[in-house]
Amino acid sequence: MKICPNCQNTDVPDKATKCPYCLYVFEVEEKGPKILYDPKPIPSPPPAPNPGPKDFTGEIPETGKATPAAPKKKGGKWVVLIGITVVVVLIIKSCAGKEDTADSVQSTNNNSNGSGSTRNNTSKIDSTLLDEADEKLANAKTAYDEENYSEGALPQSREALQDYLQITEDSKAQGELVDRVDDAYALYQAVIMRVSEGIMDQGPIPGGYEQISDYLKEAMDMANTLYENGYVVDNSEVSNLQDTLVNTYKEMYIQAINNITTYDHWSRDEAWNIAEQAYNVGNENGTPVLFSLDDLDDPLRLRYEYCLAMVTRKRCETGLADGSMSYADAVQTLASILEETDYNPLLLQDMVNYGQQAGMNVENYRYAYEMILDIIQREEGITIGGDVDLDHFWYFNDLDGDSSYRVGDYGTTSYVRSWIRNNISGIL
């Protein structure tokens, strides 16, 4: 055995030309001059990470003879430089990893605070504005308890909600306001419901439907605005009322016209005022909201057309009485609404009488009138002039429709009305 002059290892075989441990090339004796090989030593790889101390078992292992110290290695400058470079790189990566971890933890902490909303920093809330909003909400509750709805509870609760929205926008805070917003909107909705019920209790008054519609739209818009700002409120009461408001008012007007039929001497002007109101409810473009002019069997449309026929008859009577209208004018006025009113036999009866006074040929009017009375008698078994006089035969009373809308046993069926529309027009 010989000693490696490079790594000082003593276990190198005598005939080895290279050190098996550090690959150092020994001097080779040949003929001629000696050549010294001084290759650059190959650097050793960086040591494996220290696995840490092993668990102590309570037993001290036998050591025998002392473990010899590791042989010292003679390395060149390259070994030192490469080792330093490796250490610096490992330190840099370690520091960078710690910073990334710290940033990740900080981000997680920031996002995990509060009730799930991203706007959760309540430290920036304007306490003055918050106190004012809370005071408005308290005043609104007091006004509601005192049944001061329109001038007290409604504006105060509305303003409280607007203030909470402003605070949300200014401070980006939300978590602290959720309960306040819920309370404010619940009160706001309750006030609108009480106000709407008060209006509906007055019956089909002019502007009633429109006023309620405006309140409900305002409440729905407020709920949408709150939702856009991260608040989910229960607006089911105003939503349900909005969905049923048309039918509610439609039934009001149907019953109001039905009630007039119970009078001994019913007012044609009063009936027309109710019917005209029904036509104009929510009507902004010439199209009724409460009924469709295209649905010829709609119960409110049937009543509207009947009332139109009645008020037109009265206008003709008034015009003939004061001389502002001739008999021929009266016939022409009645004829202008015949189709629209489903050829009401009362109009045809007047046209026959006025036409005779004007010296007109009225045979077509008379024939149309007789055909209508005949189809009613054949299909419904009702003899007008026998079972019931024409003035109390409710042409709008739909015997096929909802029984809750009917007024008595005399009226018309959908088939009879359809037959009249399809056949009478060809006669006139």
Side-chain angles (χ1 to χ4, degrees):
M1 295 293 180
K2 58 183 177 181
I3 300 174
C4 176
N6 183 51
C7 66
Q8 301 299 317
N9 200 305
T10 59
D11 296 329
V12 181
D14 290 333
K15 295 182 179 182
T17 60
K18 285 184 181 180
C19 175
Y21 301 100
C22 67
L23 301 182
Y24 176 81
V25 180
F26 300 111
E27 293 179 359
V28 180
E29 292 185 2
E30 295 179 358
K31 292 180 180 181
K34 293 181 179 180
I35 299 175
L36 298 178
Y37 292 87
D38 187 17
K40 295 178 181 179
I42 298 174
S44 302
N50 185 3
K54 296 182 179 179
D55 293 339
F56 180 61
T57 63
E59 298 180 1
I60 300 175
E62 295 182 2
T63 58
K65 57 182 179 180
T67 304
K72 296 181 180 179
K73 298 181 181 179
K74 291 183 180 180
K77 294 180 181 179
W78 286 105
V79 174
V80 176
L81 290 174
I82 291 174
I84 293 173
T85 302
V86 171
V87 171
V88 171
V89 170
L90 290 174
I91 292 173
I92 292 173
K93 289 185 176 180
S94 175
C95 293
K98 290 180 180 179
E99 290 177 0
D100 292 342
T101 302
D103 291 342
S104 177
V105 171
Q106 181 65 31
S107 175
T108 302
N109 289 340
N110 289 341
N111 290 333
S112 63
N113 291 333
S115 58
S117 171
T118 57
R119 284 174 279 192
N120 202 35
N121 181 10
T122 59
S123 62
K124 297 182 181 180
I125 289 181
D126 184 340
S127 60
T128 301
L129 184 56
L130 182 61
D131 290 342
E132 292 176 357
D134 289 345
E135 182 179 359
K136 290 175 182 177
L137 179 55
N139 292 337
K141 291 179 178 178
T142 300
Y144 181 84
D145 292 338
E146 296 173 351
E147 298 185 359
N148 180 9
Y149 302 133
S150 298
E151 298 180 0
L154 183 58
Q156 290 286 337
S157 59
R158 181 194 296 122
E159 291 175 14
L161 285 168
Q162 291 169 344
D163 286 350
Y164 291 139
L165 283 170
Q166 187 64 52
I167 294 171
T168 302
E169 181 178 349
D170 293 344
S171 65
K172 307 305 179 186
Q174 182 197 44
E176 186 174 328
L177 303 178
V178 170
D179 291 340
R180 288 177 167 90
V181 170
D182 284 345
D183 289 346
Y185 191 85
L187 178 62
Y188 175 66
Q189 177 174 231
V191 173
I192 287 182
M193 292 299 295
R194 300 295 86 74
V195 172
S196 299
E197 290 166 1
I199 295 172
M200 289 189 289
D201 287 343
Q202 301 177 53
I205 61 173
Y209 172 92
E210 288 81 0
Q211 190 174 3
I212 296 175
S213 293
D214 290 343
Y215 281 136
L216 297 179
K217 182 179 183 303
E218 177 186 313
M220 295 296 288
D221 289 345
M222 177 65 77
N224 290 333
T225 301
L226 291 171
Y227 180 79
E228 291 169 358
N229 283 271
Y231 300 103
V232 180
V233 294
D234 180 5
N235 64 337
S236 57
E237 288 188 70
V238 292
S239 178
N240 290 338
L241 181 55
Q242 189 178 56
D243 291 341
T244 59
L245 190 63
V246 168
N247 283 337
T248 298
Y249 265 83
K250 180 174 186 172
E251 291 181 358
M252 282 187 189
Y253 281 101
I254 289 174
Q255 296 302 334
I257 295 174
N258 285 355
N259 290 340
I260 295 178
T261 65
T262 63
Y263 302 167
D264 291 336
H265 302 284
W266 74 307
S267 170
R268 290 175 288 186
D269 287 330
E270 180 184 356
W272 174 242
N273 287 339
I274 296 174
E276 191 174 33
Q277 279 182 35
Y279 180 88
N280 292 326
V281 163
N283 188 338
E284 298 179 355
N285 57 3
T287 303
V289 171
L290 300 187
F291 63 93
S292 172
L293 293 175
D294 296 330
D295 183 0
L296 302 182
D297 291 328
D298 183 287
L300 187 52
R301 175 203 171 272
L302 292 173
R303 284 158 177 77
Y304 171 81
E305 304 299 355
Y306 185 85
C307 292
L308 174 62
M310 295 303 100
V311 75
T312 303
R313 291 184 72 208
K314 181 178 180 180
R315 290 169 182 168
C316 289
E317 293 169 5
T318 302
L320 291 171
D322 63 18
S324 61
M325 183 180 292
S326 67
Y327 285 110
D329 292 335
V331 172
Q332 185 176 1
T333 299
L334 296 172
S336 67
I337 64 168
L338 262 182
E339 181 178 1
E340 182 179 358
T341 58
D342 291 339
Y343 305 96
N344 191 307
L346 278 169
L347 299 183
L348 288 167
Q349 183 184 63
D350 288 347
M351 292 172 70
V352 170
N353 294 333
Y354 296 154
Q356 288 177 331
Q357 295 292 329
M360 300 169 60
N361 183 352
V362 296
E363 289 307 311
N364 287 344
Y365 300 142
R366 190 192 307 278
Y367 183 51
Y369 171 78
E370 291 174 351
M371 286 189 66
I372 291 174
L373 267 58
D374 180 67
I375 189 65
I376 292 174
Q377 196 278 328
R378 284 189 292 109
E379 293 297 329
E380 298 170 6
I382 301 171
T383 302
I384 296 177
D387 297 323
V388 59
D389 63 273
L390 188 56
D391 285 335
H392 291 90
F393 176 77
W394 310 120
Y395 198 53
F396 62 81
N397 195 31
D398 187 4
L399 301 180
D400 292 331
D402 190 333
S403 59
S404 64
Y405 297 153
R406 293 180 194 168
V407 286
D409 298 327
Y410 302 126
T412 55
T413 62
S414 176
Y415 171 79
V416 167
R417 291 190 300 273
S418 178
W419 188 94
I420 292 171
R421 295 181 195 115
N422 294 331
N423 290 275
I424 299 303
S425 60
I427 298 174
L428 301 176

